[in-house]
Amino acid sequence: MLDQIELGRRLGRFDVDFSGGLDSDEFVKLYKNLLQDAVGDVATAAPQLSRRRSRSRPKVTEQSLELPSDPRYIRALLSSEHLLKQQAFGVFVQLDLDGNGQLDRDELFGLCLALHRKLGVKLPDDVAVGLELAKYDEDLSGGLDPNEFVNLYKQILQD
């Protein structure tokens, strides 16, 4: 989190016309900078929407997905709701390849594949992934929104 002094410095850095405020172009530059600090490269973290949805599995690898592997870090995440949400939201953004704000079964399979490769977690089949999605899909939308994903992510880390 940014404190007020650091935020003031960043605002000053992006206020190129020295108006004391940010116009829309300056705000977009500041927002992209803050997003990049939070989740990494904006171009890869928030891909552009595609009109045609690919039916193939998402291209998520253990290198591209930032997952905790240190047991001490995982315990720290599980002991802090704030840290857990922050980590889960970062992973969510990386997994939401079509940018629709929800994770479908194929996108969740990308998480399973990365967990399998990075941590040796057993790779589930499509049916198991679909069942987990249904278990945590509280609003029955067919996908997990960021808040629903936090619950699934917490369960995965606890296992």
Side-chain angles (χ1 to χ4, degrees), residues 80-98:
S80 168
E81 193 71 23
H82 176 71
L83 287 176
L84 177 67
K85 282 185 178 182
Q86 195 173 29
Q87 171 75 23
F89 288 163
V91 171
F92 181 92
V93 168
Q94 294 174 58
L95 290 171
D96 187 18
L97 297 178
D98 60 8

Side-chain angles (χ1 to χ4, degrees), residues 121-138:
V121 174
K122 182 182 175 206
L123 191 60
D125 60 20
D126 284 343
V127 173
V129 174
L131 289 172
E132 284 300 300
L133 184 142
K135 179 178 172 183
Y136 290 95
D137 183 16
E138 297 169 1

